[in-house]
Amino acid sequence: MEWLNTIYTSFYNALIPEQRYLAYLSGVKVTLLVALFATILGVIIGILVAVVKVSAKNSRNPVMKALSAFCGFYTTVIRGTPLIVQIMIIYNLVFTSRDSNEIIIGTVCFGINSGAYVSEIIRAGIESVARGQMEAGRSLGFTYIQTMRYIILPQAVKNILPALGNEFIVLVKETAVISVIAVNDLTKMASFVGSRTWDILPPYLIAAAIYLMITLCLTMVLRYFERRLSQSDRH
């Protein structure tokens, strides 16, 4: 059947000649590294922002109030503007050199974006911990920071771990837009292969299949940890 042969030829040309499959593999590497490091940066930013917001509620310190207002402005702006616009602004504001490392570019761009969403996840996790936990920690002689670090945050992280896992999965897919600033992620490499074969659809279909496999694998890992957590809660 001629149409099957045409499809086979299209996908063959998108994968085999000139070892084009290596382009997809290099793109996957960049995508996963950007998503991983951006998630780590986002969690760091998210913890700082969430702790400031929660702490400012019961504080009369003007510095803490000012920091809380800044954090509120940050989360509002990041969550209220398109990701691709943020990437273009950050890239043109910070990374003006052509020698900039693409992993660092992606990490900063997506880490700043992810931090706003992670901060709300962590804030909800902190507020889900009973208030008596803070009072118990303070009664044992811990400072506010020590109580937050050793008592509140460990319990909050356990509550929000599934949500953080979902954030990582979402981030893997969202990294596709970073190709607009010439970072060689999976989407960019699919576009490159399409420019070589003069047939853009097969490379993008291959990239879509790879994204799907990655997200399915990550979802399975996330469900495994969720089951382990639920078992530990029952015990």
Side-chain angles (χ1 to χ4, degrees), residues 39-190:
T39 300
I40 294 172
L41 178 60
V43 168
I44 294 172
I45 294 173
I47 290 174
L48 294 175
V49 171
V51 169
V52 168
K53 283 187 173 182
V54 172
S55 302
K57 286 186 177 180
N58 301 316
S59 175
R60 295 182 179 178
N61 189 321
V63 175
M64 188 61 69
K65 292 291 185 183
L67 286 174
S68 179
F70 173 78
C71 290
F73 174 78
Y74 159 72
T75 55
T76 299
V77 170
I78 294 297
R79 298 172 71 194
T81 55
L83 173 59
I84 192 169
V85 175
Q86 297 168 22
I87 290 173
M88 297 302 294
I89 292 173
I90 294 171
Y91 177 72
N92 288 285
L93 188 65
V94 179
F95 301 102
T96 55
S97 172
R98 292 185 178 181
D99 297 328
S100 300
N101 185 286
E102 59 184 9
I103 304 297
I104 295 176
I105 295 173
T107 297
V108 172
C109 291
F110 283 97
I112 292 174
N113 178 268
S114 180
Y117 294 92
V118 171
S119 69
E120 292 302 298
I121 295 173
I122 294 176
R123 183 181 62 81
I126 292 173
E127 293 178 346
S128 70
V129 178
R131 293 185 178 180
Q133 298 288 322
M134 174 62 74
E135 296 171 359
R138 299 303 298 272
S139 68
L140 292 173
F142 287 176
T143 64
Y144 180 87
I145 297 298
Q146 288 175 327
T147 305
M148 186 67 71
R149 177 182 176 185
Y150 295 112
I151 298 176
I152 304 299
L153 283 178
Q155 297 182 67
V157 168
K158 185 176 181 180
N159 294 337
I160 64 177
L161 192 57
L164 289 178
N166 286 326
E167 174 65 17
F168 177 67
I169 292 172
V170 170
L171 204 55
V172 169
K173 295 182 292 183
E174 286 184 342
T175 54
V177 301
I178 206 171
S179 59
V180 300
I181 55 173
V183 174
N184 293 324
D185 70 323
L186 178 56
T187 302
K188 183 67 175 180
M189 299 313 292

Side-chain angles (χ1 to χ4, degrees), residues 1-10:
M1 299 175 66
E2 186 175 348
W3 64 275
L4 281 176
N5 185 57
T6 301
I7 293 174
Y8 170 79
T9 302
S10 297

